[in-house]
Amino acid sequence: SQQGEEDPQALSIQEGENATMNCSYKTSINNLQWYRQNSGRGLVHLILIRSNEREKHSGRLRVTLDTSKKSSSLLITASRAADTASYFCATDPDVYNQGGKLIFGQGTELSVKP
Amino acid sequence: DGGITQSPKYLFRKEGQNVTLSCEQNLNHDAMYWYRQDPGQGLRLIYYSQIVNDFQKGDIAEGYSVSREKKESFPLTVTSAQKNPTAFYLCASSLDARNSNQPQHFGDGTRLSIL
């Protein structure tokens, strides 16, 4: 079952611009995670934000979480061509109470043009 | 270097054949997972294991089987009962499945195609 829906499905920007991706989900969660996937490779973990947190930063990445709206956003500032990848949100629904079982969204394909 | 190794990188399956995808981790993680990814799609959970000698079905387990005889290894068999096996298969692990606030670490995948 797919819980996360990401918006937009594809995003094309110029180097130096900011990129914002959004994720909505349906059930209450323990945490929400963002991952990056380069073409033909595995996923790389970027940030984990817990349900009691509202904002988190890591380098050029900023993640927000609004549990009342069941939504999250990932902001990449001052984007670089190397940021070109697919970005996925994943939720850990607390209804499962099984720890670690994630549900992934369908991803946003980001293209950063030099 | 610690990590997850998936092999082979590319695999071809003939009609009626079972094939096994390998996943090995040296991160000393308790939990391991198998996902299927179709083109332009997100990941769907096939099977997961929270501890050695134990595993549970995910959302799309039909036509697949797994074993977890060793902590480091979680092989996935795609059986002939899986009628649409062409996909990108990803293996992942996490330190302790009892603690939900943990990231998953991924291998680089196996791409399976039908001959």
Side-chain angles (χ1 to χ4, degrees):
Chain A
S1 58
Q2 292 291 345
Q3 146 121 295
E5 289 191 8
E6 298 186 55
D7 170 57
Q9 288 190 320
L11 179 60
S12 182
I13 60 175
Q14 295 294 129
E15 215 167 22
E17 293 180 340
N18 295 344
T20 299
M21 291 160 262
N22 303 296
C23 171
S24 60
Y25 57 92
K26 297 173 185 172
T27 68
S28 58
I29 58 173
N30 291 315
N31 64 67
L32 185 144
Q33 304 180 30
W34 285 91
Y35 289 81
R36 165 195 168 125
Q37 183 181 34
N38 286 78
S39 181
R41 303 294 300 274
L43 276 69
V44 174
H45 180 260
L46 297 175
I47 285 188
L48 182 154
I49 186 165
R50 301 183 187 205
S51 59
N52 61 354
E53 297 175 313
R54 291 298 166 256
E55 188 170 312
K56 208 160 181 181
H57 296 254
S58 176
R60 293 182 297 112
L61 306 181
R62 173 178 167 247
V63 168
T64 61
L65 179 65
D66 187 336
T67 52
S68 66
K69 295 181 179 178
K70 291 187 170 58
S71 68
S72 173
S73 67
L74 169 67
L75 168 67
I76 304 174
T77 60
S79 63
R80 305 166 182 168
D83 294 328
T84 295
S86 293
Y87 291 83
F88 294 90
C89 69
T91 53
D92 178 5
D94 64 9
V95 294
Y96 288 110
N97 196 30
Q98 288 177 346
K101 185 176 173 181
L102 296 177
I103 298 179
F104 284 82
Q106 295 191 333
T108 292
E109 195 172 323
L110 174 65
S111 174
V112 182
K113 300 188 189 310
Chain B
D1 282 337
I4 298 182
T5 301
Q6 290 188 240
S7 62
K9 191 170 178 64
Y10 299 96
L11 187 58
F12 298 91
R13 196 191 87 169
K14 294 180 182 177
E15 203 73 36
Q17 187 182 44
N18 292 356
V19 292
T20 298
L21 284 61
S22 170
C23 178
E24 303 278 330
Q25 55 101 356
N26 60 4
L27 298 166
N28 200 32
H29 285 177
D30 283 329
M32 296 187 75
Y33 312 83
W34 273 106
Y35 295 94
R36 170 182 171 136
Q37 185 178 31
D38 292 283
Q41 301 293 313
L43 280 63
R44 291 184 291 168
L45 183 65
I46 305 173
Y47 269 97
Y48 64 105
S49 168
Q50 294 175 314
I51 199 165
V52 176
N53 292 323
D54 184 53
F55 50 83
Q56 288 82 40
K57 292 182 180 180
D59 298 319
I60 55 165
E62 187 174 347
Y64 300 98
S65 66
V66 293
S67 62
R68 187 85 188 277
E69 297 175 1
K70 298 188 298 182
K71 187 175 185 178
E72 309 81 46
S73 178
F74 190 40
L76 173 74
T77 296
V78 183
T79 74
S80 57
Q82 173 48 246
K83 297 306 179 189
N84 183 22
T86 298
F88 190 49
Y89 291 86
L90 287 160
C91 178
S93 70
S94 65
L95 182 60
D96 179 0
R98 293 168 298 176
N99 178 356
S100 64
N101 292 309
Q102 305 238 348
Q104 291 187 10
H105 299 256
F106 284 79
D108 268 341
T110 292
R111 192 166 299 279
L112 176 62
S113 303
I114 294 183
L115 278 179

